[in-house]
Amino acid sequence: MGGDRLENKTSVSVASWSSLNARMDNRFATAFVIACVLSLISTIYMAASIGTDFWYEYRSPVQENSSDLNKSIWNDFASDEADEKTYSDALFRYNGTVGLWRRCITIPQNTYWYSPPERTESFDMVTKCMSFTLNEQFMEKFVEPGNHNSGIDLLRTYLWRCQFLLPFVSLGLMCFGALIGLCACICRSLYPTIATGILHLLAGLCTLGSVSCYVAGIELLHQKLELPEDVSGEFGWSFCLACVSAPLQFMASALFIWAAHTNRKEYTLMKAYRVA
């Protein structure tokens, strides 16, 4: 009788532990799936923000359709020797947009060798874009934009370089974290995902740093080059995507680390229970 009772108690204990272990596995799997979805969304947002040209947008009145003026502005804007002041003035005047890789202005599409007899309510507008070269990305910024004799502004120089480099570092960290997560799935173990969580945490910090550097750089530029009275500026949707990406990375990081750490702890308790 004593042996039967002991066997029954052991069977009940094993069944209870198996049920608890199954519930814990479901909880870890749910957290892992949610973290993967958040990671995927943040990666898409970050890639979209890097590849688009709407980090900052300027709003200015539509300019008159003057062929000589438009041609001069476009030639200066598209020149390889265009300095920061030259292309910034064009951005202010012609509804410019700025991304991490390109700068764009909007000018009338149709130009005339004579002045049009009447000014229509709207012109056919076309967007002209120029890419920042690598030399421009790492070029020094000057205390007075456009004045090479005013000295190098180290703060704005390194803010510009960081805002350009950090998004790529963030994207690379998330891709490397995804690779580690895939290996964890193949190995059927959640413990390696703690590295994925740490990489997502670092990626979130890089994204947050990039956004902060961009905001600081724009504010410092506008202190050097004040906007005309009829021109306004605002952060665009590409910038907003980067801002949204950072908290998603932090949430994914927290879920990855929690699932890996708690799963490891439960595994240790289960081994101790079996030994006992």
Side-chain angles (χ1 to χ4, degrees):
M1 292 294 292
D4 293 339
R5 289 179 180 178
L6 180 60
E7 183 177 354
N8 290 335
K9 288 182 179 180
T10 303
S11 300
V12 171
S13 298
V14 171
S16 299
W17 179 258
S18 299
S19 177
L20 178 61
N21 190 40
R23 289 197 298 270
M24 294 298 294
D25 287 343
N26 290 335
R27 193 168 65 176
F28 297 146
T30 301
F32 184 77
V33 170
I34 294 174
C36 288
V37 172
L38 292 176
S39 175
L40 178 62
I41 294 174
S42 65
T43 302
I44 294 173
Y45 282 2
M46 199 67 219
S49 69
I50 292 174
T52 50
D53 310 320
F54 297 92
W55 279 65
Y56 201 84
E57 304 177 21
Y58 294 100
R59 296 285 182 265
S60 58
V62 176
Q63 300 296 322
E64 296 290 342
N65 194 356
S66 172
S67 60
D68 292 338
L69 178 60
N70 290 333
K71 185 177 180 180
S72 175
I73 292 291
W74 169 243
N75 287 338
D76 292 340
F77 182 79
S79 173
D80 293 335
E81 299 179 356
D83 55 33
E84 186 179 23
K85 187 178 188 307
T86 300
Y87 68 72
S88 294
D89 288 341
L91 291 171
F92 296 164
R93 182 168 184 151
Y94 289 95
N95 292 293
T97 61
V98 188
L100 297 180
W101 278 98
R102 296 199 308 173
R103 56 186 186 267
C104 303
I105 58 175
T106 303
I107 58 176
Q109 182 177 15
N110 298 320
T111 57
Y112 306 90
W113 62 270
Y114 62 92
S115 298
E118 294 182 0
R119 182 186 185 280
T120 58
E121 293 182 359
S122 63
F123 296 112
D124 293 331
M125 309 300 288
V126 62
T127 300
K128 300 287 188 178
C129 296
M130 281 295 296
S131 297
F132 291 107
T133 64
L134 285 178
N135 288 335
E136 288 177 321
Q137 295 287 8
F138 294 98
M139 186 180 295
E140 293 85 359
K141 304 296 180 183
F142 298 99
V143 175
E144 296 179 9
N147 184 359
H148 294 203
N149 298 321
S150 61
I152 297 175
D153 191 333
L154 291 178
L155 178 58
R156 291 202 308 120
T157 297
Y158 285 103
L159 285 174
W160 182 279
R161 293 174 182 177
C162 289
Q163 78 182 26
F164 166 69
L165 291 175
L166 287 178
F168 292 98
V169 175
S170 174
L171 202 58
L173 288 172
M174 285 192 292
C175 292
F176 187 51
L179 182 62
I180 294 177
L182 180 62
C183 294
C185 292
I186 295 175
C187 298
R188 296 183 180 181
S189 173
L190 282 176
Y191 190 67
T193 58
I194 193 169
T196 303
I198 293 174
L199 289 174
H200 276 71
L201 177 61
L202 295 176
L205 292 175
C206 288
T207 302
L208 189 61
S210 176
V211 168
S212 302
C213 290
Y214 194 86
V215 172
I218 286 290
E219 292 299 325
L220 290 174
L221 175 63
H222 290 166
Q223 290 178 10
K224 307 289 184 180
L225 298 175
E226 294 185 2
L227 294 178
E229 293 182 357
D230 55 351
V231 176
S232 62
E234 61 184 11
F235 292 100
W237 58 267
S238 300
F239 175 83
C240 295
L241 287 179
C243 292
V244 173
S245 179
L248 292 178
Q249 291 166 343
F250 288 134
M251 288 188 287
S253 171
L255 287 173
F256 279 130
I257 294 175
W258 175 84
H261 177 72
T262 309
N263 180 68
R264 183 68 176 180
K265 183 178 179 181
E266 293 297 330
Y267 178 74
T268 303
L269 292 175
M270 183 174 67
K271 286 182 63 177
Y273 179 83
R274 287 178 176 177
V275 170

